[in-house]
PDB file of all heavy atoms in Angstrom:
ATOM      1  N   GLY E 969      -8.148   0.777  -1.118  1.00  0.00           N
ATOM      2  CA  GLY E 969      -6.909   0.799  -1.643  1.00  0.00           C
ATOM      3  C   GLY E 969      -6.756   0.338  -2.999  1.00  0.00           C
ATOM      4  O   GLY E 969      -5.586   0.099  -3.625  1.00  0.00           O
ATOM      5  N   GLY E 970      -7.884   0.198  -3.821  1.00  0.00           N
ATOM      6  CA  GLY E 970      -7.838  -0.244  -5.174  1.00  0.00           C
ATOM      7  C   GLY E 970      -7.577  -1.609  -5.458  1.00  0.00           C
ATOM      8  O   GLY E 970      -7.354  -2.061  -6.519  1.00  0.00           O
ATOM      9  N   VAL E 971      -7.694  -2.480  -4.357  1.00  0.00           N
ATOM     10  CA  VAL E 971      -7.627  -4.022  -4.551  1.00  0.00           C
ATOM     11  C   VAL E 971      -8.847  -4.548  -5.250  1.00  0.00           C
ATOM     12  O   VAL E 971      -9.947  -4.152  -4.757  1.00  0.00           O
ATOM     13  CB  VAL E 971      -7.335  -4.635  -3.156  1.00  0.00           C
ATOM     14  CG1 VAL E 971      -7.326  -6.114  -3.369  1.00  0.00           C
ATOM     15  CG2 VAL E 971      -6.002  -4.137  -2.685  1.00  0.00           C
ATOM     16  N   ALA E 972      -8.744  -5.372  -6.207  1.00  0.00           N
ATOM     17  CA  ALA E 972      -9.843  -5.940  -6.836  1.00  0.00           C
ATOM     18  C   ALA E 972      -9.615  -7.512  -6.794  1.00  0.00           C
ATOM     19  O   ALA E 972      -8.536  -7.953  -7.355  1.00  0.00           O
ATOM     20  CB  ALA E 972     -10.088  -5.460  -8.236  1.00  0.00           C
ATOM     21  N   LEU E 973     -10.601  -8.287  -6.284  1.00  0.00           N
ATOM     22  CA  LEU E 973     -10.464  -9.714  -6.321  1.00  0.00           C
ATOM     23  C   LEU E 973     -11.648 -10.336  -7.105  1.00  0.00           C
ATOM     24  O   LEU E 973     -12.742  -9.990  -6.852  1.00  0.00           O
ATOM     25  CB  LEU E 973     -10.482 -10.239  -4.943  1.00  0.00           C
ATOM     26  CG  LEU E 973      -9.254  -9.827  -3.981  1.00  0.00           C
ATOM     27  CD1 LEU E 973      -9.484 -10.396  -2.604  1.00  0.00           C
ATOM     28  CD2 LEU E 973      -7.983 -10.408  -4.506  1.00  0.00           C
ATOM     29  N   PRO E 974     -11.296 -11.265  -8.010  1.00  0.00           N
ATOM     30  CA  PRO E 974     -12.407 -11.974  -8.735  1.00  0.00           C
ATOM     31  C   PRO E 974     -13.204 -12.875  -7.821  1.00  0.00           C
ATOM     32  O   PRO E 974     -12.598 -13.571  -7.033  1.00  0.00           O
ATOM     33  CB  PRO E 974     -11.644 -12.706  -9.830  1.00  0.00           C
ATOM     34  CG  PRO E 974     -10.365 -12.886  -9.360  1.00  0.00           C
ATOM     35  CD  PRO E 974      -9.963 -11.769  -8.453  1.00  0.00           C
ATOM     36  N   VAL E 975     -14.524 -12.842  -8.008  1.00  0.00           N
ATOM     37  CA  VAL E 975     -15.409 -13.712  -7.229  1.00  0.00           C
ATOM     38  C   VAL E 975     -16.377 -14.343  -8.017  1.00  0.00           C
ATOM     39  O   VAL E 975     -16.513 -13.983  -9.181  1.00  0.00           O
ATOM     40  CB  VAL E 975     -15.982 -12.871  -6.051  1.00  0.00           C
ATOM     41  CG1 VAL E 975     -15.102 -12.359  -5.014  1.00  0.00           C
ATOM     42  CG2 VAL E 975     -16.877 -11.794  -6.508  1.00  0.00           C
ATOM     43  N   ARG E 976     -17.069 -15.273  -7.520  1.00  0.00           N
ATOM     44  CA  ARG E 976     -17.988 -16.091  -8.232  1.00  0.00           C
ATOM     45  C   ARG E 976     -19.407 -15.526  -7.820  1.00  0.00           C
ATOM     46  O   ARG E 976     -19.671 -15.276  -6.686  1.00  0.00           O
ATOM     47  CB  ARG E 976     -17.910 -17.584  -8.020  1.00  0.00           C
ATOM     48  CG  ARG E 976     -16.642 -18.152  -8.596  1.00  0.00           C
ATOM     49  CD  ARG E 976     -16.658 -19.647  -8.521  1.00  0.00           C
ATOM     50  NE  ARG E 976     -15.466 -20.238  -9.214  1.00  0.00           N
ATOM     51  CZ  ARG E 976     -15.178 -21.449  -9.311  1.00  0.00           C
ATOM     52  NH1 ARG E 976     -15.881 -22.396  -8.696  1.00  0.00           N
ATOM     53  NH2 ARG E 976     -14.189 -21.960 -10.018  1.00  0.00           N
ATOM     54  N   GLY E 977     -20.354 -15.549  -8.781  1.00  0.00           N
ATOM     55  CA  GLY E 977     -21.782 -15.041  -8.550  1.00  0.00           C
ATOM     56  C   GLY E 977     -22.584 -15.940  -7.770  1.00  0.00           C
ATOM     57  O   GLY E 977     -22.177 -17.023  -7.357  1.00  0.00           O
ATOM     58  N   PRO E 978     -23.888 -15.562  -7.607  1.00  0.00           N
ATOM     59  CA  PRO E 978     -24.494 -14.350  -8.165  1.00  0.00           C
ATOM     60  C   PRO E 978     -24.208 -13.096  -7.456  1.00  0.00           C
ATOM     61  O   PRO E 978     -23.736 -13.098  -6.329  1.00  0.00           O
ATOM     62  CB  PRO E 978     -26.010 -14.664  -8.078  1.00  0.00           C
ATOM     63  CG  PRO E 978     -26.133 -15.526  -6.839  1.00  0.00           C
ATOM     64  CD  PRO E 978     -24.841 -16.360  -6.829  1.00  0.00           C
ATOM     65  N   ALA E 979     -24.415 -11.933  -8.106  1.00  0.00           N
ATOM     66  CA  ALA E 979     -23.997 -10.650  -7.449  1.00  0.00           C
ATOM     67  C   ALA E 979     -25.127 -10.350  -6.355  1.00  0.00           C
ATOM     68  O   ALA E 979     -26.298 -10.494  -6.589  1.00  0.00           O
ATOM     69  CB  ALA E 979     -24.060  -9.594  -8.487  1.00  0.00           C
ATOM     70  N   PRO E 980     -24.681  -9.993  -5.129  1.00  0.00           N
ATOM     71  CA  PRO E 980     -25.649  -9.665  -4.053  1.00  0.00           C
ATOM     72  C   PRO E 980     -26.252  -8.286  -4.300  1.00  0.00           C
ATOM     73  O   PRO E 980     -25.700  -7.400  -5.029  1.00  0.00           O
ATOM     74  CB  PRO E 980     -24.718  -9.647  -2.855  1.00  0.00           C
ATOM     75  CG  PRO E 980     -23.398  -9.340  -3.294  1.00  0.00           C
ATOM     76  CD  PRO E 980     -23.262  -9.843  -4.663  1.00  0.00           C
ATOM     77  N   ASP E 981     -27.443  -8.034  -3.705  1.00  0.00           N
ATOM     78  CA  ASP E 981     -28.104  -6.711  -3.812  1.00  0.00           C
ATOM     79  C   ASP E 981     -27.812  -5.805  -2.638  1.00  0.00           C
ATOM     80  O   ASP E 981     -27.985  -4.601  -2.700  1.00  0.00           O
ATOM     81  CB  ASP E 981     -29.583  -6.906  -3.850  1.00  0.00           C
ATOM     82  CG  ASP E 981     -29.956  -7.721  -5.031  1.00  0.00           C
ATOM     83  OD1 ASP E 981     -29.373  -7.501  -6.091  1.00  0.00           O
ATOM     84  OD2 ASP E 981     -31.054  -8.572  -4.950  1.00  0.00           O
ATOM     85  N   SER E 982     -27.189  -6.387  -1.548  1.00  0.00           N
ATOM     86  CA  SER E 982     -26.924  -5.565  -0.356  1.00  0.00           C
ATOM     87  C   SER E 982     -25.438  -5.571  -0.102  1.00  0.00           C
ATOM     88  O   SER E 982     -24.547  -6.347  -0.589  1.00  0.00           O
ATOM     89  CB  SER E 982     -27.680  -6.214   0.897  1.00  0.00           C
ATOM     90  OG  SER E 982     -27.292  -7.548   1.026  1.00  0.00           O
ATOM     91  N   PRO E 983     -24.995  -4.703   0.879  1.00  0.00           N
ATOM     92  CA  PRO E 983     -23.561  -4.534   1.174  1.00  0.00           C
ATOM     93  C   PRO E 983     -23.003  -5.913   1.676  1.00  0.00           C
ATOM     94  O   PRO E 983     -23.671  -6.589   2.453  1.00  0.00           O
ATOM     95  CB  PRO E 983     -23.413  -3.428   2.183  1.00  0.00           C
ATOM     96  CG  PRO E 983     -24.714  -2.646   1.944  1.00  0.00           C
ATOM     97  CD  PRO E 983     -25.785  -3.543   1.503  1.00  0.00           C
ATOM     98  N   VAL E 984     -21.818  -6.237   1.310  1.00  0.00           N
ATOM     99  CA  VAL E 984     -21.221  -7.416   1.656  1.00  0.00           C
ATOM    100  C   VAL E 984     -19.696  -7.303   2.116  1.00  0.00           C
ATOM    101  O   VAL E 984     -19.088  -6.243   1.884  1.00  0.00           O
ATOM    102  CB  VAL E 984     -21.297  -8.515   0.520  1.00  0.00           C
ATOM    103  CG1 VAL E 984     -22.672  -8.908   0.150  1.00  0.00           C
ATOM    104  CG2 VAL E 984     -20.558  -7.957  -0.688  1.00  0.00           C
ATOM    105  N   CYS E 985     -19.238  -8.378   2.621  1.00  0.00           N
ATOM    106  CA  CYS E 985     -17.784  -8.585   2.916  1.00  0.00           C
ATOM    107  C   CYS E 985     -17.309  -9.738   2.119  1.00  0.00           C
ATOM    108  O   CYS E 985     -18.113 -10.760   1.974  1.00  0.00           O
ATOM    109  CB  CYS E 985     -17.532  -8.730   4.396  1.00  0.00           C
ATOM    110  SG  CYS E 985     -17.783  -7.273   5.473  1.00  0.00           S
ATOM    111  N   ILE E 986     -16.081  -9.622   1.742  1.00  0.00           N
ATOM    112  CA  ILE E 986     -15.463 -10.833   1.093  1.00  0.00           C
ATOM    113  C   ILE E 986     -14.680 -11.571   2.114  1.00  0.00           C
ATOM    114  O   ILE E 986     -13.992 -10.983   3.000  1.00  0.00           O
ATOM    115  CB  ILE E 986     -14.609 -10.422  -0.144  1.00  0.00           C
ATOM    116  CG1 ILE E 986     -14.137 -11.685  -0.824  1.00  0.00           C
ATOM    117  CG2 ILE E 986     -13.448  -9.571   0.257  1.00  0.00           C
ATOM    118  CD1 ILE E 986     -13.388 -11.425  -2.177  1.00  0.00           C
ATOM    119  N   GLY E 987     -14.654 -12.843   2.129  1.00  0.00           N
ATOM    120  CA  GLY E 987     -13.939 -13.616   3.049  1.00  0.00           C
ATOM    121  C   GLY E 987     -13.088 -14.733   2.443  1.00  0.00           C
ATOM    122  O   GLY E 987     -13.483 -15.248   1.362  1.00  0.00           O
ATOM    123  N   PHE E 988     -11.895 -14.959   2.914  1.00  0.00           N
ATOM    124  CA  PHE E 988     -11.066 -16.052   2.447  1.00  0.00           C
ATOM    125  C   PHE E 988     -10.048 -16.339   3.564  1.00  0.00           C
ATOM    126  O   PHE E 988      -9.686 -15.420   4.384  1.00  0.00           O
ATOM    127  CB  PHE E 988     -10.334 -15.663   1.172  1.00  0.00           C
ATOM    128  CG  PHE E 988      -9.640 -14.265   1.293  1.00  0.00           C
ATOM    129  CD1 PHE E 988      -8.267 -14.099   1.604  1.00  0.00           C
ATOM    130  CD2 PHE E 988     -10.241 -13.170   0.859  1.00  0.00           C
ATOM    131  CE1 PHE E 988      -7.523 -13.037   1.697  1.00  0.00           C
ATOM    132  CE2 PHE E 988      -9.653 -11.907   0.941  1.00  0.00           C
ATOM    133  CZ  PHE E 988      -8.317 -11.831   1.304  1.00  0.00           C
ATOM    134  N   ARG E 989      -9.723 -17.616   3.618  1.00  0.00           N
ATOM    135  CA  ARG E 989      -8.797 -18.060   4.675  1.00  0.00           C
ATOM    136  C   ARG E 989      -7.285 -17.787   4.325  1.00  0.00           C
ATOM    137  O   ARG E 989      -6.937 -17.648   3.240  1.00  0.00           O
ATOM    138  CB  ARG E 989      -8.990 -19.622   4.793  1.00  0.00           C
ATOM    139  CG  ARG E 989     -10.295 -19.954   5.348  1.00  0.00           C
ATOM    140  CD  ARG E 989     -10.620 -21.472   5.539  1.00  0.00           C
ATOM    141  NE  ARG E 989     -11.913 -21.654   6.142  1.00  0.00           N
ATOM    142  CZ  ARG E 989     -12.218 -21.524   7.423  1.00  0.00           C
ATOM    143  NH1 ARG E 989     -11.157 -21.272   8.248  1.00  0.00           N
ATOM    144  NH2 ARG E 989     -13.396 -21.706   7.851  1.00  0.00           N
ATOM    145  N   PRO E 990      -6.533 -17.644   5.369  1.00  0.00           N
ATOM    146  CA  PRO E 990      -5.128 -17.471   5.154  1.00  0.00           C
ATOM    147  C   PRO E 990      -4.427 -18.442   4.224  1.00  0.00           C
ATOM    148  O   PRO E 990      -3.573 -18.165   3.434  1.00  0.00           O
ATOM    149  CB  PRO E 990      -4.480 -17.490   6.579  1.00  0.00           C
ATOM    150  CG  PRO E 990      -5.681 -16.926   7.510  1.00  0.00           C
ATOM    151  CD  PRO E 990      -6.880 -17.551   6.750  1.00  0.00           C
ATOM    152  N   SER E 991      -4.854 -19.707   4.385  1.00  0.00           N
ATOM    153  CA  SER E 991      -4.198 -20.768   3.590  1.00  0.00           C
ATOM    154  C   SER E 991      -4.653 -20.611   2.064  1.00  0.00           C
ATOM    155  O   SER E 991      -3.988 -21.247   1.202  1.00  0.00           O
ATOM    156  CB  SER E 991      -4.712 -22.082   4.045  1.00  0.00           C
ATOM    157  OG  SER E 991      -6.148 -22.185   4.079  1.00  0.00           O
ATOM    158  N   ALA E 992      -5.609 -19.841   1.804  1.00  0.00           N
ATOM    159  CA  ALA E 992      -6.060 -19.680   0.279  1.00  0.00           C
ATOM    160  C   ALA E 992      -5.208 -18.519  -0.324  1.00  0.00           C
ATOM    161  O   ALA E 992      -5.258 -18.404  -1.541  1.00  0.00           O
ATOM    162  CB  ALA E 992      -7.609 -19.236   0.237  1.00  0.00           C
ATOM    163  N   VAL E 993      -4.438 -17.802   0.407  1.00  0.00           N
ATOM    164  CA  VAL E 993      -3.745 -16.687  -0.152  1.00  0.00           C
ATOM    165  C   VAL E 993      -2.457 -17.254  -0.832  1.00  0.00           C
ATOM    166  O   VAL E 993      -1.713 -18.104  -0.285  1.00  0.00           O
ATOM    167  CB  VAL E 993      -3.324 -15.630   0.875  1.00  0.00           C
ATOM    168  CG1 VAL E 993      -2.362 -14.579   0.294  1.00  0.00           C
ATOM    169  CG2 VAL E 993      -4.485 -15.146   1.532  1.00  0.00           C
ATOM    170  N   VAL E 994      -2.233 -16.850  -2.115  1.00  0.00           N
ATOM    171  CA  VAL E 994      -1.136 -17.365  -2.961  1.00  0.00           C
ATOM    172  C   VAL E 994      -0.099 -16.175  -2.937  1.00  0.00           C
ATOM    173  O   VAL E 994      -0.425 -15.058  -3.340  1.00  0.00           O
ATOM    174  CB  VAL E 994      -1.532 -17.686  -4.344  1.00  0.00           C
ATOM    175  CG1 VAL E 994      -0.344 -18.132  -5.226  1.00  0.00           C
ATOM    176  CG2 VAL E 994      -2.601 -18.757  -4.374  1.00  0.00           C
ATOM    177  N   LEU E 995       1.187 -16.474  -2.421  1.00  0.00           N
ATOM    178  CA  LEU E 995       2.136 -15.463  -2.397  1.00  0.00           C
ATOM    179  C   LEU E 995       3.251 -15.720  -3.453  1.00  0.00           C
ATOM    180  O   LEU E 995       3.538 -16.843  -3.770  1.00  0.00           O
ATOM    181  CB  LEU E 995       2.722 -15.452  -0.992  1.00  0.00           C
ATOM    182  CG  LEU E 995       1.912 -14.999   0.224  1.00  0.00           C
ATOM    183  CD1 LEU E 995       2.745 -15.018   1.441  1.00  0.00           C
ATOM    184  CD2 LEU E 995       1.335 -13.633  -0.106  1.00  0.00           C
ATOM    185  N   SER E 996       3.911 -14.617  -3.834  1.00  0.00           N
ATOM    186  CA  SER E 996       4.966 -14.802  -4.782  1.00  0.00           C
ATOM    187  C   SER E 996       5.997 -13.571  -4.466  1.00  0.00           C
ATOM    188  O   SER E 996       5.487 -12.500  -4.177  1.00  0.00           O
ATOM    189  CB  SER E 996       4.493 -14.713  -6.229  1.00  0.00           C
ATOM    190  OG  SER E 996       5.639 -14.582  -7.109  1.00  0.00           O
ATOM    191  N   ARG E 997       7.218 -13.794  -4.642  1.00  0.00           N
ATOM    192  CA  ARG E 997       8.246 -12.788  -4.583  1.00  0.00           C
ATOM    193  C   ARG E 997       8.336 -11.926  -5.799  1.00  0.00           C
ATOM    194  O   ARG E 997       8.766 -10.792  -5.912  1.00  0.00           O
ATOM    195  CB  ARG E 997       9.561 -13.346  -4.256  1.00  0.00           C
ATOM    196  CG  ARG E 997       9.669 -14.099  -2.924  1.00  0.00           C
ATOM    197  CD  ARG E 997      11.098 -14.546  -2.754  1.00  0.00           C
ATOM    198  NE  ARG E 997      11.269 -15.259  -1.440  1.00  0.00           N
ATOM    199  CZ  ARG E 997      11.030 -16.572  -1.284  1.00  0.00           C
ATOM    200  NH1 ARG E 997      10.784 -17.314  -2.433  1.00  0.00           N
ATOM    201  NH2 ARG E 997      11.209 -17.178  -0.145  1.00  0.00           N
ATOM    202  N   ASP E 998       7.858 -12.612  -6.956  1.00  0.00           N
ATOM    203  CA  ASP E 998       7.986 -11.973  -8.264  1.00  0.00           C
ATOM    204  C   ASP E 998       6.597 -11.482  -8.762  1.00  0.00           C
ATOM    205  O   ASP E 998       5.595 -12.114  -8.414  1.00  0.00           O
ATOM    206  CB  ASP E 998       8.615 -12.957  -9.223  1.00  0.00           C
ATOM    207  CG  ASP E 998       9.991 -13.360  -8.749  1.00  0.00           C
ATOM    208  OD1 ASP E 998      10.762 -12.561  -8.360  1.00  0.00           O
ATOM    209  OD2 ASP E 998      10.219 -14.606  -8.729  1.00  0.00           O
ATOM    210  N   PRO E 999       6.560 -10.513  -9.728  1.00  0.00           N
ATOM    211  CA  PRO E 999       5.336 -10.057 -10.206  1.00  0.00           C
ATOM    212  C   PRO E 999       4.569 -11.199 -10.844  1.00  0.00           C
ATOM    213  O   PRO E 999       5.165 -12.014 -11.665  1.00  0.00           O
ATOM    214  CB  PRO E 999       5.696  -8.891 -11.178  1.00  0.00           C
ATOM    215  CG  PRO E 999       7.009  -8.437 -10.744  1.00  0.00           C
ATOM    216  CD  PRO E 999       7.702  -9.655 -10.145  1.00  0.00           C
TER     217      PRO E 999
END
């Protein structure tokens, strides 16, 4: 869907999943 999230390295060589906890999500009503 075109979503891009910044992550910290190093860059992996194989396919990966990104993980993050619900409490880490920052929400806003405004842009």
Side-chain angles (χ1 to χ4, degrees):
V971 172
L973 296 177
V975 294
R976 293 184 172 181
D981 297 325
S982 56
V984 294
C985 290
I986 185 172
F988 50 91
R989 295 182 176 276
S991 58
V993 178
V994 180
L995 294 182
S996 172
R997 297 182 181 88
D998 303 313

